[in-house]
Amino acid sequence: MNSVAARSLTPIAVIIRQHRQELQALAESWLAGSAQAFGVVINGQTLYTLPEGAPPPADPIIAPLELPEPDAGHLFAAVPHTDAYLRRLKTNAMLLSRLIDLEQQLESVTSELVTSQDQLLALYELNHILRTSIDAPGSIGALVREIRRLTGVSATRILFVDPTDQYRYVDVDPPQPIDHAAIDADFAQVAERRQRVLTAAGETVALSVPLEVRESITGMLTLTKAGEFGSPDIKLAESLAARIGAHLESVLLYQETLAQARIKLELELARQVQSQLLPHSPPCIDGIDIHGLSSPALQVGGDFYDFIDSAEHPLLFAVGDVAGKGMSAALVMAMIRTAIRSMANLPAIESPADVLNRLNSELIADLVNLSVFVTAFVGQYRAGSDQLTFANAGHAPVIYRPPGGPAHVLEADHTAIGILDLPNFTNRSIDLPPGAVLIVATDGLTEAENPHGELFGIKRLVASVDALAHLPAAEIAAALYQLVDSFTAGLRQSDDQTAVVIKRTSASTESDTVTNQG
Amino acid sequence: MAQILVVDDYVVSQRVFSTIIRKAGHDVLLAGDGREALDIIAQGGVDLVLLDIAMPDIDGITVLRRVRANPSTRGLPIVMITASGDDQLQAEAREAGANAFLTKPASSAQLTDVLESLLT
């Protein structure tokens, strides 16, 4: 840091040498008169004399130079001792003294200019580090080095406590053992006062200034040197601390943005994985037209549907809704979907109720631990049949529409999976004559909200089924989504939305009834 | 202690470089133009030259070429300095035989490092 005491004055010998031509002109003017010799003596040494190399005159007149201590010197001229010569020599001595003084002042100014220039260049370097470094440990290490160069102190230290994870970064230049207890004590003071703290230890003084990140004191910059810190030093330290604070804030923001980008990428990958878990196309089953759609509220969701079509079993289909949204719901959804698929192929599993009872008994412990439950509707349809068998574990809405209408709700008659550890799920059957439509949806459709806070609701859904029943299954599903989308008028989807539409296509003689089969 | 010749027509630069060099423990000679620089070099005793490129009359590159062309001064370490942002000048100076190249403003540390590397 700038310090008058630290400036280096130009040795007078150098100044005399630099002004040799002027001295020569002066000496020649003396020798042009009656002088035998003229010279300059500094600290007992003759630095200039004319004639060159002449021995010191025996009895010259002398005029002392006014020099700052400890330097001393004089001019001499080998002339007769007269008042006129003495006055002339004194005038010359005064002028030379003034010249030396001005040269020393100029050197002092130049020295400060060099210091300022060095500081400016160190600031360039500091700015470069602050602009290009994007991690806290890397930038703190580089900063302590550059700040020591910039300030010229004997040691620099930065303490930074990352507000996101409370991780402590401490770096010191020059490298030395770190006394964490002493740092903590200093930091406690700085954090409490929210301003600089000066502490003296013997000959050295430490100046600690707070680093403020996100309006909290999260660290400090400490400069140590022998002697006092003046106001320019303190202003510089505080300015540097403010700049470092802003930089660390940017680093944190960058890291958070990066973390969010990673999460977003992982969610996108999860979405792709989850979309692979949903059927790519509906199965072709004689007697029904079946179609499913699902749209998660976030990248991933807890809704699912599945079609399990094998040569050994009639078509089994499932629609479910895991309580909650996002990644946790998606993981449970994947678990449930896999479990249903596994069970569907077990010889002992013959009906939808078998699936739900087995699912509940095997997963209830895990689901209770996770505090999660799952509503699920499992249906079974034998190709060409006029009936459909199902079991419903607390799932809604389920809309049934006989060929002539009207559509109505089939209420769930059992609790969701993961609530009770009882094998109490039972099968029910529904007649499925040509033109009959069954829609198994999730509550994301009925609870879709418009800008006025109104829900799409079960009544609208039932009415929509009546209006759309003449369409093929895929078009009914698409039109339902379209209606819900128009209703919400572009508001962000707040819950996962899923619907499986089954429409009976070929002739049948069965009636439109629902039968409990225990 | 080495004898270093600072050649620059801008007196502030002369002063700044002289101060840094003296603080590094070396002696300084000054020249305000290329012709004066060549005279001082010809007298001998110069250990290193800090040579500004842009000077009236004889510019720094010309001085450099003449020093390199003279068998008695060919090996003299010469550091070229410039305030120009033209990268081509650096290539030209290197081609003409400069030992090092600095742009203004040069920090004390940069200048001292260059001097020490060339004087040892």
PDB file of all heavy atoms in Angstrom, chain B residues 52-72:
ATOM      1  N   ASP B  52      12.403   1.635 -26.136  1.00  0.00           N
ATOM      2  CA  ASP B  52      11.053   1.953 -26.634  1.00  0.00           C
ATOM      3  C   ASP B  52      11.051   1.841 -28.161  1.00  0.00           C
ATOM      4  O   ASP B  52      12.047   2.151 -28.825  1.00  0.00           O
ATOM      5  CB  ASP B  52      10.690   3.382 -26.203  1.00  0.00           C
ATOM      6  CG  ASP B  52       9.257   3.728 -26.567  1.00  0.00           C
ATOM      7  OD1 ASP B  52       8.413   2.813 -26.582  1.00  0.00           O
ATOM      8  OD2 ASP B  52       8.980   4.913 -26.820  1.00  0.00           O
ATOM      9  N   ILE B  53       9.923   1.409 -28.715  1.00  0.00           N
ATOM     10  CA  ILE B  53       9.882   1.229 -30.168  1.00  0.00           C
ATOM     11  C   ILE B  53       9.590   2.543 -30.889  1.00  0.00           C
ATOM     12  O   ILE B  53      10.294   2.941 -31.822  1.00  0.00           O
ATOM     13  CB  ILE B  53       8.835   0.141 -30.538  1.00  0.00           C
ATOM     14  CG1 ILE B  53       9.356  -1.226 -30.092  1.00  0.00           C
ATOM     15  CG2 ILE B  53       8.572   0.149 -32.061  1.00  0.00           C
ATOM     16  CD1 ILE B  53       8.444  -2.384 -30.411  1.00  0.00           C
ATOM     17  N   ALA B  54       8.529   3.227 -30.429  1.00  0.00           N
ATOM     18  CA  ALA B  54       8.114   4.431 -31.163  1.00  0.00           C
ATOM     19  C   ALA B  54       8.895   5.649 -30.687  1.00  0.00           C
ATOM     20  O   ALA B  54       8.629   6.177 -29.599  1.00  0.00           O
ATOM     21  CB  ALA B  54       6.616   4.641 -30.958  1.00  0.00           C
ATOM     22  N   MET B  55       9.857   6.055 -31.482  1.00  0.00           N
ATOM     23  CA  MET B  55      10.634   7.264 -31.154  1.00  0.00           C
ATOM     24  C   MET B  55      10.877   8.030 -32.447  1.00  0.00           C
ATOM     25  O   MET B  55      10.964   7.428 -33.518  1.00  0.00           O
ATOM     26  CB  MET B  55      11.983   6.879 -30.530  1.00  0.00           C
ATOM     27  CG  MET B  55      11.867   6.323 -29.125  1.00  0.00           C
ATOM     28  SD  MET B  55      13.482   6.066 -28.370  1.00  0.00           S
ATOM     29  CE  MET B  55      14.147   4.797 -29.400  1.00  0.00           C
ATOM     30  N   PRO B  56      10.981   9.361 -32.350  1.00  0.00           N
ATOM     31  CA  PRO B  56      11.250  10.134 -33.561  1.00  0.00           C
ATOM     32  C   PRO B  56      12.680   9.868 -34.074  1.00  0.00           C
ATOM     33  O   PRO B  56      13.518   9.381 -33.328  1.00  0.00           O
ATOM     34  CB  PRO B  56      11.093  11.588 -33.085  1.00  0.00           C
ATOM     35  CG  PRO B  56      11.319  11.551 -31.621  1.00  0.00           C
ATOM     36  CD  PRO B  56      10.865  10.208 -31.151  1.00  0.00           C
ATOM     37  N   ASP B  57      12.877  10.205 -35.297  1.00  0.00           N
ATOM     38  CA  ASP B  57      14.202  10.040 -35.935  1.00  0.00           C
ATOM     39  C   ASP B  57      14.536   8.553 -36.088  1.00  0.00           C
ATOM     40  O   ASP B  57      14.033   7.912 -37.000  1.00  0.00           O
ATOM     41  CB  ASP B  57      15.273  10.801 -35.135  1.00  0.00           C
ATOM     42  CG  ASP B  57      16.562  10.955 -35.930  1.00  0.00           C
ATOM     43  OD1 ASP B  57      16.528  10.651 -37.142  1.00  0.00           O
ATOM     44  OD2 ASP B  57      17.587  11.366 -35.348  1.00  0.00           O
ATOM     45  N   ILE B  58      15.353   8.007 -35.196  1.00  0.00           N
ATOM     46  CA  ILE B  58      15.672   6.576 -35.303  1.00  0.00           C
ATOM     47  C   ILE B  58      14.795   5.814 -34.318  1.00  0.00           C
ATOM     48  O   ILE B  58      14.903   6.010 -33.098  1.00  0.00           O
ATOM     49  CB  ILE B  58      17.156   6.317 -34.968  1.00  0.00           C
ATOM     50  CG1 ILE B  58      18.050   7.142 -35.901  1.00  0.00           C
ATOM     51  CG2 ILE B  58      17.491   4.836 -35.092  1.00  0.00           C
ATOM     52  CD1 ILE B  58      19.528   7.008 -35.596  1.00  0.00           C
ATOM     53  N   ASP B  59      13.924   4.963 -34.829  1.00  0.00           N
ATOM     54  CA  ASP B  59      13.014   4.249 -33.919  1.00  0.00           C
ATOM     55  C   ASP B  59      13.714   3.040 -33.287  1.00  0.00           C
ATOM     56  O   ASP B  59      14.856   2.703 -33.636  1.00  0.00           O
ATOM     57  CB  ASP B  59      11.719   3.826 -34.640  1.00  0.00           C
ATOM     58  CG  ASP B  59      11.953   2.772 -35.716  1.00  0.00           C
ATOM     59  OD1 ASP B  59      12.981   2.080 -35.654  1.00  0.00           O
ATOM     60  OD2 ASP B  59      11.097   2.645 -36.624  1.00  0.00           O
ATOM     61  N   GLY B  60      13.011   2.421 -32.327  1.00  0.00           N
ATOM     62  CA  GLY B  60      13.599   1.345 -31.541  1.00  0.00           C
ATOM     63  C   GLY B  60      13.999   0.140 -32.371  1.00  0.00           C
ATOM     64  O   GLY B  60      15.050  -0.471 -32.124  1.00  0.00           O
ATOM     65  N   ILE B  61      13.171  -0.219 -33.343  1.00  0.00           N
ATOM     66  CA  ILE B  61      13.487  -1.397 -34.173  1.00  0.00           C
ATOM     67  C   ILE B  61      14.786  -1.152 -34.948  1.00  0.00           C
ATOM     68  O   ILE B  61      15.632  -2.048 -35.079  1.00  0.00           O
ATOM     69  CB  ILE B  61      12.326  -1.705 -35.157  1.00  0.00           C
ATOM     70  CG1 ILE B  61      11.019  -2.021 -34.390  1.00  0.00           C
ATOM     71  CG2 ILE B  61      12.698  -2.828 -36.113  1.00  0.00           C
ATOM     72  CD1 ILE B  61      10.929  -3.399 -33.800  1.00  0.00           C
ATOM     73  N   THR B  62      14.946   0.080 -35.449  1.00  0.00           N
ATOM     74  CA  THR B  62      16.173   0.420 -36.191  1.00  0.00           C
ATOM     75  C   THR B  62      17.392   0.336 -35.275  1.00  0.00           C
ATOM     76  O   THR B  62      18.444  -0.210 -35.646  1.00  0.00           O
ATOM     77  CB  THR B  62      16.058   1.840 -36.800  1.00  0.00           C
ATOM     78  OG1 THR B  62      14.863   1.895 -37.559  1.00  0.00           O
ATOM     79  CG2 THR B  62      17.252   2.174 -37.677  1.00  0.00           C
ATOM     80  N   VAL B  63      17.261   0.875 -34.055  1.00  0.00           N
ATOM     81  CA  VAL B  63      18.353   0.801 -33.083  1.00  0.00           C
ATOM     82  C   VAL B  63      18.701  -0.668 -32.832  1.00  0.00           C
ATOM     83  O   VAL B  63      19.873  -1.064 -32.852  1.00  0.00           O
ATOM     84  CB  VAL B  63      17.957   1.492 -31.754  1.00  0.00           C
ATOM     85  CG1 VAL B  63      19.022   1.253 -30.675  1.00  0.00           C
ATOM     86  CG2 VAL B  63      17.750   2.991 -31.972  1.00  0.00           C
ATOM     87  N   LEU B  64      17.660  -1.471 -32.629  1.00  0.00           N
ATOM     88  CA  LEU B  64      17.859  -2.898 -32.368  1.00  0.00           C
ATOM     89  C   LEU B  64      18.641  -3.555 -33.512  1.00  0.00           C
ATOM     90  O   LEU B  64      19.606  -4.301 -33.274  1.00  0.00           O
ATOM     91  CB  LEU B  64      16.483  -3.569 -32.189  1.00  0.00           C
ATOM     92  CG  LEU B  64      16.437  -5.084 -32.058  1.00  0.00           C
ATOM     93  CD1 LEU B  64      17.193  -5.548 -30.812  1.00  0.00           C
ATOM     94  CD2 LEU B  64      14.990  -5.575 -31.990  1.00  0.00           C
ATOM     95  N   ARG B  65      18.218  -3.274 -34.738  1.00  0.00           N
ATOM     96  CA  ARG B  65      18.884  -3.898 -35.898  1.00  0.00           C
ATOM     97  C   ARG B  65      20.348  -3.470 -35.980  1.00  0.00           C
ATOM     98  O   ARG B  65      21.224  -4.287 -36.277  1.00  0.00           O
ATOM     99  CB  ARG B  65      18.148  -3.512 -37.190  1.00  0.00           C
ATOM    100  CG  ARG B  65      16.780  -4.194 -37.290  1.00  0.00           C
ATOM    101  CD  ARG B  65      16.267  -4.212 -38.729  1.00  0.00           C
ATOM    102  NE  ARG B  65      15.040  -5.004 -38.812  1.00  0.00           N
ATOM    103  CZ  ARG B  65      13.820  -4.517 -38.980  1.00  0.00           C
ATOM    104  NH1 ARG B  65      13.656  -3.207 -39.134  1.00  0.00           N
ATOM    105  NH2 ARG B  65      12.776  -5.305 -39.025  1.00  0.00           N
ATOM    106  N   ARG B  66      20.608  -2.186 -35.664  1.00  0.00           N
ATOM    107  CA  ARG B  66      21.996  -1.704 -35.748  1.00  0.00           C
ATOM    108  C   ARG B  66      22.858  -2.346 -34.659  1.00  0.00           C
ATOM    109  O   ARG B  66      24.022  -2.677 -34.884  1.00  0.00           O
ATOM    110  CB  ARG B  66      22.040  -0.172 -35.620  1.00  0.00           C
ATOM    111  CG  ARG B  66      21.455   0.497 -36.856  1.00  0.00           C
ATOM    112  CD  ARG B  66      21.744   1.981 -36.861  1.00  0.00           C
ATOM    113  NE  ARG B  66      21.010   2.642 -37.948  1.00  0.00           N
ATOM    114  CZ  ARG B  66      20.963   3.941 -38.119  1.00  0.00           C
ATOM    115  NH1 ARG B  66      21.586   4.745 -37.277  1.00  0.00           N
ATOM    116  NH2 ARG B  66      20.287   4.451 -39.119  1.00  0.00           N
ATOM    117  N   VAL B  67      22.287  -2.486 -33.466  1.00  0.00           N
ATOM    118  CA  VAL B  67      23.037  -3.126 -32.370  1.00  0.00           C
ATOM    119  C   VAL B  67      23.343  -4.577 -32.738  1.00  0.00           C
ATOM    120  O   VAL B  67      24.463  -5.062 -32.529  1.00  0.00           O
ATOM    121  CB  VAL B  67      22.228  -3.045 -31.052  1.00  0.00           C
ATOM    122  CG1 VAL B  67      22.872  -3.913 -29.971  1.00  0.00           C
ATOM    123  CG2 VAL B  67      22.121  -1.610 -30.569  1.00  0.00           C
ATOM    124  N   ARG B  68      22.366  -5.251 -33.324  1.00  0.00           N
ATOM    125  CA  ARG B  68      22.576  -6.657 -33.686  1.00  0.00           C
ATOM    126  C   ARG B  68      23.544  -6.797 -34.873  1.00  0.00           C
ATOM    127  O   ARG B  68      24.222  -7.816 -35.023  1.00  0.00           O
ATOM    128  CB  ARG B  68      21.227  -7.317 -34.054  1.00  0.00           C
ATOM    129  CG  ARG B  68      20.294  -7.472 -32.855  1.00  0.00           C
ATOM    130  CD  ARG B  68      20.773  -8.584 -31.928  1.00  0.00           C
ATOM    131  NE  ARG B  68      19.913  -8.707 -30.744  1.00  0.00           N
ATOM    132  CZ  ARG B  68      20.237  -8.261 -29.534  1.00  0.00           C
ATOM    133  NH1 ARG B  68      21.400  -7.657 -29.326  1.00  0.00           N
ATOM    134  NH2 ARG B  68      19.429  -8.428 -28.513  1.00  0.00           N
ATOM    135  N   ALA B  69      23.591  -5.759 -35.689  1.00  0.00           N
ATOM    136  CA  ALA B  69      24.482  -5.812 -36.854  1.00  0.00           C
ATOM    137  C   ALA B  69      25.940  -5.556 -36.473  1.00  0.00           C
ATOM    138  O   ALA B  69      26.858  -5.865 -37.230  1.00  0.00           O
ATOM    139  CB  ALA B  69      24.027  -4.794 -37.898  1.00  0.00           C
ATOM    140  N   ASN B  70      26.148  -4.961 -35.293  1.00  0.00           N
ATOM    141  CA  ASN B  70      27.501  -4.634 -34.851  1.00  0.00           C
ATOM    142  C   ASN B  70      28.075  -5.804 -34.049  1.00  0.00           C
ATOM    143  O   ASN B  70      27.529  -6.162 -33.000  1.00  0.00           O
ATOM    144  CB  ASN B  70      27.430  -3.371 -33.974  1.00  0.00           C
ATOM    145  CG  ASN B  70      28.818  -2.905 -33.538  1.00  0.00           C
ATOM    146  OD1 ASN B  70      29.775  -3.679 -33.548  1.00  0.00           O
ATOM    147  ND2 ASN B  70      28.908  -1.651 -33.164  1.00  0.00           N
ATOM    148  N   PRO B  71      29.164  -6.407 -34.530  1.00  0.00           N
ATOM    149  CA  PRO B  71      29.712  -7.585 -33.836  1.00  0.00           C
ATOM    150  C   PRO B  71      30.035  -7.325 -32.375  1.00  0.00           C
ATOM    151  O   PRO B  71      29.899  -8.216 -31.540  1.00  0.00           O
ATOM    152  CB  PRO B  71      30.991  -7.908 -34.629  1.00  0.00           C
ATOM    153  CG  PRO B  71      30.779  -7.270 -35.967  1.00  0.00           C
ATOM    154  CD  PRO B  71      29.936  -6.064 -35.740  1.00  0.00           C
ATOM    155  N   SER B  72      30.409  -6.101 -32.022  1.00  0.00           N
ATOM    156  CA  SER B  72      30.798  -5.847 -30.628  1.00  0.00           C
ATOM    157  C   SER B  72      29.593  -5.702 -29.704  1.00  0.00           C
ATOM    158  O   SER B  72      29.732  -5.770 -28.481  1.00  0.00           O
ATOM    159  CB  SER B  72      31.689  -4.606 -30.542  1.00  0.00           C
ATOM    160  OG  SER B  72      30.950  -3.470 -30.934  1.00  0.00           O
TER     161      SER B  72
END
